[in-house]
Short mmCIF file of all heavy atoms in Angstrom, two decimals:
data_model
loop_
_atom_site.label_atom_id
_atom_site.label_comp_id
_atom_site.label_asym_id
_atom_site.label_seq_id
_atom_site.Cartn_x
_atom_site.Cartn_y
_atom_site.Cartn_z
N PRO A 21 133.34 92.15 113.58
CA PRO A 21 132.64 92.78 114.66
C PRO A 21 131.49 91.94 115.13
O PRO A 21 131.22 91.79 116.37
CB PRO A 21 132.21 94.16 114.16
CG PRO A 21 133.21 94.39 113.07
CD PRO A 21 133.51 93.15 112.44
N GLY A 35 129.46 98.22 130.38
CA GLY A 35 129.28 99.67 130.52
C GLY A 35 129.33 100.10 131.99
O GLY A 35 129.36 99.26 132.83
N VAL A 60 127.15 117.37 98.18
CA VAL A 60 127.69 117.80 99.52
C VAL A 60 126.51 118.31 100.39
O VAL A 60 125.85 119.28 100.06
CB VAL A 60 128.71 118.87 99.30
CG1 VAL A 60 129.22 119.42 100.68
CG2 VAL A 60 129.89 118.40 98.45
N GLY A 99 129.04 104.54 98.67
CA GLY A 99 128.69 103.46 99.50
C GLY A 99 129.94 102.86 100.20
O GLY A 99 129.85 102.61 101.45
N MET A 107 132.36 101.86 110.06
CA MET A 107 133.20 100.94 110.80
C MET A 107 134.20 101.63 111.60
O MET A 107 134.70 101.16 112.65
CB MET A 107 133.86 100.00 109.88
CG MET A 107 132.87 99.10 109.18
SD MET A 107 131.52 98.36 110.13
CE MET A 107 132.56 97.35 111.31
N TRP A 145 123.71 96.40 115.31
CA TRP A 145 124.23 97.04 116.51
C TRP A 145 123.14 97.51 117.44
O TRP A 145 123.34 98.14 118.41
CB TRP A 145 125.06 98.19 116.10
CG TRP A 145 126.50 97.79 115.77
CD1 TRP A 145 127.59 97.89 116.58
CD2 TRP A 145 126.97 97.16 114.51
NE1 TRP A 145 128.71 97.42 115.88
CE2 TRP A 145 128.39 96.95 114.72
CE3 TRP A 145 126.31 96.75 113.36
CZ2 TRP A 145 129.09 96.33 113.65
CZ3 TRP A 145 127.08 96.17 112.39
CH2 TRP A 145 128.51 95.98 112.59
N ARG A 164 114.65 94.89 104.91
CA ARG A 164 116.07 95.05 104.81
C ARG A 164 116.60 96.02 105.75
O ARG A 164 117.60 95.87 106.44
CB ARG A 164 116.41 95.51 103.38
CG ARG A 164 116.37 94.43 102.28
CD ARG A 164 116.73 95.08 100.93
NE ARG A 164 118.11 95.64 100.94
CZ ARG A 164 118.61 96.42 99.98
NH1 ARG A 164 117.87 96.69 98.96
NH2 ARG A 164 119.83 96.89 100.04
N ARG A 187 99.47 115.25 82.76
CA ARG A 187 98.05 115.18 82.54
C ARG A 187 97.44 116.62 82.63
O ARG A 187 96.65 117.04 81.89
CB ARG A 187 97.35 114.30 83.54
CG ARG A 187 97.75 112.79 83.50
CD ARG A 187 96.87 111.96 84.40
NE ARG A 187 97.49 110.73 84.77
CZ ARG A 187 98.05 110.34 85.85
NH1 ARG A 187 98.17 111.29 86.84
NH2 ARG A 187 98.64 109.19 86.02
N LEU A 262 122.08 121.27 80.77
CA LEU A 262 121.51 122.55 80.52
C LEU A 262 122.57 123.37 79.64
O LEU A 262 122.24 124.14 78.72
CB LEU A 262 121.18 123.34 81.75
CG LEU A 262 119.97 122.88 82.46
CD1 LEU A 262 119.73 123.59 83.81
CD2 LEU A 262 118.69 122.97 81.57
N GLU A 300 125.77 133.88 83.58
CA GLU A 300 124.61 134.65 82.91
C GLU A 300 123.88 133.70 81.99
O GLU A 300 122.65 133.77 81.84
CB GLU A 300 125.11 135.83 82.14
CG GLU A 300 125.70 136.89 82.96
CD GLU A 300 127.07 136.62 83.61
OE1 GLU A 300 127.72 135.66 83.10
OE2 GLU A 300 127.49 137.28 84.55
N THR A 313 109.77 118.67 94.58
CA THR A 313 110.27 117.96 95.79
C THR A 313 109.15 117.55 96.63
O THR A 313 108.12 118.22 96.72
CB THR A 313 111.32 118.78 96.55
OG1 THR A 313 112.02 117.89 97.43
CG2 THR A 313 110.61 119.79 97.42
N GLU A 322 104.25 127.52 105.87
CA GLU A 322 103.53 128.14 106.99
C GLU A 322 104.53 128.77 107.79
O GLU A 322 105.02 128.40 108.86
CB GLU A 322 102.73 127.05 107.92
CG GLU A 322 101.64 126.40 106.96
CD GLU A 322 100.95 125.23 107.85
OE1 GLU A 322 101.66 124.44 108.51
OE2 GLU A 322 99.79 125.15 107.85
N GLN A 350 132.52 129.27 108.35
CA GLN A 350 133.11 129.81 107.17
C GLN A 350 134.40 129.13 106.93
O GLN A 350 134.94 128.91 105.73
CB GLN A 350 133.46 131.38 107.37
CG GLN A 350 132.19 132.22 107.30
CD GLN A 350 131.64 132.28 105.89
OE1 GLN A 350 132.31 132.43 104.91
NE2 GLN A 350 130.25 132.18 105.78
N ALA A 351 135.17 128.75 108.07
CA ALA A 351 136.46 128.03 107.94
C ALA A 351 136.24 126.70 107.30
O ALA A 351 137.20 126.11 106.63
CB ALA A 351 137.01 127.80 109.28
N ARG A 382 112.63 104.70 132.65
CA ARG A 382 112.30 105.23 134.02
C ARG A 382 111.10 104.61 134.56
O ARG A 382 111.05 104.36 135.75
CB ARG A 382 112.21 106.74 133.90
CG ARG A 382 111.99 107.41 135.17
CD ARG A 382 111.79 108.95 135.06
NE ARG A 382 110.68 109.34 134.22
CZ ARG A 382 109.45 109.45 134.69
NH1 ARG A 382 109.20 109.14 135.97
NH2 ARG A 382 108.39 109.70 133.90
N LEU A 392 112.86 89.56 124.43
CA LEU A 392 114.23 89.63 123.92
C LEU A 392 115.18 89.65 125.07
O LEU A 392 114.94 90.19 126.16
CB LEU A 392 114.31 90.93 123.07
CG LEU A 392 113.57 91.04 121.82
CD1 LEU A 392 113.70 92.38 121.20
CD2 LEU A 392 113.95 89.97 120.85
N PRO A 491 100.36 126.29 79.11
CA PRO A 491 101.39 125.31 79.13
C PRO A 491 102.13 125.20 77.77
O PRO A 491 101.57 125.28 76.74
CB PRO A 491 100.64 124.01 79.46
CG PRO A 491 99.37 124.37 80.03
CD PRO A 491 99.04 125.71 79.44
N VAL A 561 80.57 118.32 44.03
CA VAL A 561 81.95 118.79 43.97
C VAL A 561 82.40 119.45 45.28
O VAL A 561 83.57 119.28 45.74
CB VAL A 561 82.09 119.69 42.71
CG1 VAL A 561 83.51 120.41 42.79
CG2 VAL A 561 81.84 118.95 41.43
N ARG A 570 86.83 118.43 61.68
CA ARG A 570 87.79 118.36 62.68
C ARG A 570 88.01 116.90 63.18
O ARG A 570 87.16 116.09 63.03
CB ARG A 570 87.42 119.21 63.88
CG ARG A 570 87.46 120.64 63.75
CD ARG A 570 87.00 121.36 64.93
NE ARG A 570 85.53 121.01 65.24
CZ ARG A 570 85.02 121.48 66.32
NH1 ARG A 570 85.65 122.15 67.31
NH2 ARG A 570 83.70 121.12 66.52
N PRO A 647 75.11 97.61 57.47
CA PRO A 647 76.38 98.16 58.22
C PRO A 647 77.63 97.68 57.63
O PRO A 647 78.61 98.46 57.70
CB PRO A 647 76.11 97.75 59.60
CG PRO A 647 74.66 97.39 59.78
CD PRO A 647 74.25 96.92 58.44
N LEU A 651 79.53 103.06 53.77
CA LEU A 651 80.75 103.75 53.75
C LEU A 651 81.05 104.32 55.19
O LEU A 651 80.27 104.77 55.92
CB LEU A 651 80.68 105.04 52.82
CG LEU A 651 80.80 104.66 51.34
CD1 LEU A 651 80.45 105.90 50.52
CD2 LEU A 651 82.13 104.06 50.91
N VAL A 739 88.94 104.52 38.52
CA VAL A 739 90.37 104.35 38.90
C VAL A 739 90.68 105.26 40.12
O VAL A 739 91.31 104.82 41.10
CB VAL A 739 91.28 104.89 37.67
CG1 VAL A 739 92.69 104.97 38.17
CG2 VAL A 739 91.11 103.83 36.54
N LEU A 769 75.93 119.76 25.84
CA LEU A 769 75.56 119.06 24.61
C LEU A 769 74.04 118.87 24.51
O LEU A 769 73.61 118.35 23.44
CB LEU A 769 76.30 117.80 24.50
CG LEU A 769 77.87 117.95 24.35
CD1 LEU A 769 78.53 116.70 24.25
CD2 LEU A 769 78.17 118.92 23.17
N LEU A 778 67.55 127.11 17.89
CA LEU A 778 66.44 128.04 18.11
C LEU A 778 66.87 129.46 17.61
O LEU A 778 65.96 130.09 17.02
CB LEU A 778 66.19 128.09 19.67
CG LEU A 778 65.05 129.10 20.08
CD1 LEU A 778 63.66 128.63 19.38
CD2 LEU A 778 64.90 129.25 21.56
N PRO A 802 68.35 90.64 4.88
CA PRO A 802 68.07 91.23 3.58
C PRO A 802 66.61 91.48 3.43
O PRO A 802 65.83 90.66 3.79
CB PRO A 802 68.63 90.21 2.62
CG PRO A 802 69.54 89.34 3.40
CD PRO A 802 68.95 89.28 4.82
#
Side-chain angles (χ1 to χ4, degrees):
V60 177
M107 296 312 300
W145 277 258
R164 286 180 59 191
R187 299 186 198 103
L262 287 175
E300 292 75 18
T313 194
E322 297 177 314
Q350 288 290 317
R382 185 179 63 82
L392 296 173
V561 171
R570 292 179 297 173
L651 286 173
V739 172
L769 295 182
L778 180 63

